[in-house]
Amino acid sequence: MTRTMIFRKRQRSVGPDLPDGTRALHPFDDRLGRTSGVAQISAADAEARWEAGEELHLVPAHDPGDVVPWSLTARRGHDYVVNEYAADGRRMRSERWVQDGDRVRMARGEARFEQGGAQGPPAYQVEWDAYPGGAMRIEIIGPRVEDDEVTGFRSAAQAQIERPAPALDAVLDLREADDLDPSDFSGLAPREAAELYARSRARGAAPLTTQDVFGEASLRTGAVVLATSRQIVGVIDAIVHSGATAGNPAANVPVLRRGSATIIPLGAQGDAPEYWADVRAQLVALSNSVRWALEHRAGGRVTLDLFDVPATEVRSYRSRLVAAGATRAGLWRPEPALAVVLVVSGDPDAGTLTHALHLMPSAWVTSPEPLEEPIDVAWSWAEVESAAG
């Protein structure tokens, strides 16, 4: 039988304090649904924590020590996290809301879909982010890299889920974040359930196409590659181990060659200021995901100093980074002869922000002597768009 986890609809509030049938716990680890050893606090204490903007955990009525079906962790004025748990206490779904003034905005979430029983198909994970302008990025992570799927939605009003900031007696309304019902998932395999959930998060907004990301319009709106960090690291592996020009716009991971160096652009802001904030937020989220994947593979990164580069270093990698507008660079060495650098360049407030990965010989960052080989690490999204055309 297919196991699906969907939030139950809201409970009716009957008073000015805690919603009916709700208990407050503190402290409580909301990554686990188990309440063993966690003390219940009074409604008065819960209201005091709420008014002070301190962390407060709400759960449904349950027997002491049981796994709860859901929890809501709230910090009034900051953020609200709704979780749902499997019978064994694993977190199966999570959604985070952030408060901005007198409004709250759904910011990100994840959900896991798996087949019941040891012989069922593997699990699929849906992860999504929503940005202030209404853009969204949704990833379906499968058991194999080739099963991964990424869809972007640009500044679509339907994709932006926002509502007035709740009072304590209405905070559980945030559990109404979608219109799905458990019966919608009846009989679906994990992949199908994940796809249905992903479509529901987008609220009917039209997804970005390859042409949107790599076409001429992307020079105005900006673009972020539609790929997961696993797919991007897979491109790195293909380049390193086969020497192939792996990754191209058709595969959603562009590759630019620069002699001994390879540049994998992750995205860039465009000419239109109304898209700058969304593109910046998406770039940060994708780069963080890539960074975590590289740290899992090759350990912690080394930060390259770009603020004290001698002018005489005309043939050093660092000096060429600075000349190309780089502001931050983190280095990994997954293999002795290989350096991978995550580079942030440009000014996000001026619309010139870019993120990219550089692959190069380790000597470019380890040799104390100026390099004989010319180094060119400058690039633009226009080059990516031109290559796609």
Side-chain angles (χ1 to χ4, degrees):
M1 182 179 72
T2 300
R3 177 189 295 146
T4 56
M5 306 295 293
I6 291 296
F7 289 143
R8 302 170 188 175
K9 299 306 176 184
R10 66 172 173 172
Q11 297 172 321
R12 182 175 58 88
S13 175
V14 297
D17 44 22
L18 295 181
D20 186 31
T22 301
R23 295 180 178 178
L25 305 179
H26 190 78
F28 176 67
D29 187 346
D30 65 3
R31 296 169 299 177
L32 306 172
R34 300 187 182 277
T35 64
S36 179
V38 181
Q40 179 177 342
I41 62 177
S42 69
D45 288 342
E47 290 187 52
R49 296 192 66 85
W50 172 269
E51 291 299 327
E54 298 176 357
E55 193 170 76
L56 174 66
H57 303 280
L58 302 178
V59 298
H62 64 284
D63 292 329
D66 279 358
V67 171
V68 293
W70 58 263
S71 71
L72 190 149
T73 297
R75 289 192 306 155
R76 178 173 172 262
H78 297 276
D79 58 3
Y80 309 81
V81 179
V82 188
N83 294 304
E84 188 175 80
Y85 308 96
D88 60 5
R90 289 176 302 138
R91 185 167 60 182
M92 300 297 288
R93 183 176 169 193
S94 179
E95 291 179 344
R96 177 173 179 260
W97 296 72
V98 295
Q99 186 162 343
D100 182 10
D102 60 355
R103 308 286 293 177
V104 291
R105 175 178 58 84
M106 185 180 285
R108 65 169 292 110
E110 59 184 37
R112 181 178 176 87
F113 299 89
E114 59 186 32
Q115 194 83 5
Q119 303 302 315
Y124 284 81
Q125 181 95 357
V126 179
E127 300 177 1
W128 58 266
D129 293 272
Y131 305 103
M136 294 188 74
R137 178 184 176 91
I138 300 176
E139 299 185 5
I140 296 178
I141 311 297
R144 303 172 301 173
V145 174
E146 52 265 37
D147 295 325
D148 292 356
E149 180 181 320
V150 182
T151 307
F153 303 85
R154 176 177 289 136
S155 299
Q158 287 179 302
Q160 186 174 359
I161 303 172
E162 190 177 284
R163 61 181 65 186
L168 177 58
D169 63 354
V171 68
L172 292 189
D173 289 356
L174 297 181
R175 296 179 58 234
E176 280 192 298
D178 60 53
D179 299 322
L180 293 173
D181 187 89
S183 62
D184 295 332
F185 292 84
S186 177
L188 295 183
R191 173 81 193 195
E192 295 170 322
E195 290 176 343
L196 173 61
Y197 176 76
R199 289 196 299 272
S200 79
R201 303 297 351 119
R203 299 280 175 160
L208 297 179
T209 66
T210 300
Q211 183 63 26
D212 293 322
V213 177
F214 298 110
E216 185 176 355
S218 66
L219 300 178
R220 176 179 178 274
T221 62
V224 178
V225 298
L226 295 179
T228 67
S229 59
R230 294 202 310 174
Q231 291 170 327
I232 292 168
V233 172
V235 170
I236 294 174
D237 288 340
I239 294 172
V240 171
H241 298 301
S242 70
T245 307
N248 53 66
N252 291 347
V253 183
V255 169
L256 303 175
R257 291 291 189 175
R258 294 290 191 274
S260 297
T262 300
I263 298 175
I264 301 177
L266 300 181
Q269 288 177 314
D271 295 332
E274 61 265 32
Y275 296 106
W276 289 353
D278 278 342
V279 171
R280 178 185 186 181
Q282 292 179 71
L283 276 174
V284 169
L286 177 59
S287 292
N288 282 340
S289 181
V290 170
R291 174 173 59 83
W292 295 327
L294 288 171
E295 289 182 353
H296 178 73
R297 176 78 62 90
R301 71 188 184 280
V302 175
T303 300
L304 295 183
D305 181 8
L306 302 180
F307 300 98
D308 187 25
V309 180
T312 56
E313 287 191 15
V314 293
R315 287 191 179 275
S316 77
Y317 173 62
R318 289 193 307 159
S319 67
R320 293 300 88 197
L321 282 180
V322 172
T327 57
R328 297 196 305 277
L331 164 71
W332 292 266
R333 293 182 63 191
E335 297 184 4
L338 174 70
V340 178
V341 183
L342 178 59
V343 179
V344 177
S345 301
D347 180 357
D349 295 326
T352 58
L353 178 69
T354 66
H355 287 211
L357 287 167
H358 295 178
L359 284 66
M360 71 207 74
S362 289
W364 281 30
V365 293
T366 59
S367 174
E369 301 297 328
L371 301 172
E372 295 184 1
E373 179 181 358
I375 301 174
D376 178 12
V377 290
W379 67 277
S380 70
W381 196 257
E383 293 178 73
V384 177
E385 188 272 332
S386 178

